[in-house]
Amino acid sequence: MSDRHPPDTFTDINEAVGTDWESNTTPYERIRHVISHTYSPLSADTVADNARTAPKTARKHLNALADEGFVETTPGGHGSTRYRRSPESLVMEQASDILEHVSTDELVTRIQEMREQLTEYQTEFGVESPEELAVSQTNQVLAESGGPQAEIDPERIREWKTLRRNLAFANAALSIGTAEQFIGDDRRSTDENVPA
């Protein structure tokens, strides 16, 4: 037997972490963090609760984030507003992350490889998209052709969808990288033409 005794009270680790988060961040930072992981619309009250702040403060910061394009608003019940991360801000974040880690030349190569892989999926399944494949499978089942139904591995469909999403992010990153390059070129040529 041990002489050790359990403590009289146990600390709720979640509460301790939450309190620490609250003391080391501003309400704006906490609201931005919560909404950056919110893809289904939430009420300001729910965001406030998750961000450990008052609903009025949450609404103020959510509206500012909506003005910046980081948050998308949708009408809720009884005249309320619901908030979620805007798809545009997610695309910009992903594209910026790609550009930070991959050169434009390497990105062009990767995009070409993804396009080739996408073509392979389309050839393999005989349709243009995973959605068309689902419709085709449903039509086969409804027609009850009596022949054996080919089972398609759901993982393959998930991989196809992921490939399309990654290709879209890569294309966005390439477009942004190219635009930034043109802006940089325009600035240099303007600076060269300004007399000293």
Side-chain angles (χ1 to χ4, degrees):
M1 254 191 358
S2 171
D3 291 336
R4 300 169 90 186
H5 298 285
D8 292 335
T9 60
F10 289 96
T11 303
D12 180 352
I13 191 71
N14 291 331
E15 183 59 32
V17 169
T19 300
D20 187 50
W21 182 49
E22 190 174 352
S23 66
N24 290 314
T25 57
T26 65
Y28 174 83
E29 291 169 329
R30 293 192 303 276
I31 289 164
R32 186 175 172 91
H33 175 79
V34 167
I35 207 72
S36 71
H37 298 68
T38 303
Y39 305 107
S40 298
L42 297 177
S43 69
D45 289 349
T46 301
V47 173
D49 188 44
N50 293 338
R52 303 173 72 98
T53 192
K56 183 177 180 181
T57 302
R59 274 186 206 83
K60 177 181 87 171
H61 292 307
L62 286 166
N63 289 330
L65 288 166
D67 290 343
E68 294 171 15
F70 190 75
V71 169
E72 182 177 84
T73 61
T74 56
H78 307 292
S80 66
T81 302
R82 298 175 66 79
Y83 305 87
R84 72 179 185 134
R85 172 89 183 258
S86 76
E88 294 84 7
S89 70
L90 182 60
V91 169
M92 290 298 295
E93 181 180 285
Q94 292 294 322
S96 294
D97 188 52
I98 290 169
L99 288 171
E100 188 176 313
H101 296 95
V102 180
S103 71
T104 305
D105 291 338
E106 185 179 351
L107 189 55
V108 169
T109 301
R110 288 187 182 182
I111 287 172
Q112 183 58 38
E113 290 169 355
M114 285 189 276
R115 286 182 178 156
E116 289 168 4
Q117 193 175 2
L118 190 61
T119 300
E120 289 173 16
Y121 277 112
Q122 293 167 337
T123 302
E124 177 183 346
F125 295 112
V127 292
E128 293 295 311
S129 70
E131 293 77 18
E132 284 184 45
L133 180 60
V135 169
S136 174
Q137 286 181 309
T138 302
N139 289 341
Q140 283 180 339
V141 169
L142 291 175
E144 296 181 348
S145 62
Q149 297 293 323
E151 279 292 319
I152 297 174
D153 182 8
E155 185 62 30
R156 296 276 295 147
I157 295 172
R158 203 170 306 118
E159 289 169 1
W160 190 359
K161 289 180 178 180
T162 300
L163 174 66
R164 283 191 324 169
R165 185 199 66 210
N166 291 345
L167 179 59
F169 284 139
N171 280 323
L174 183 60
S175 294
I176 291 168
T178 302
E180 288 174 347
Q181 183 179 0
F182 282 118
I183 290 170
D185 291 347
D186 288 347
R187 280 189 187 152
R188 279 190 292 280
S189 66
T190 302
D191 291 344
E192 291 170 358
N193 293 328
V194 174

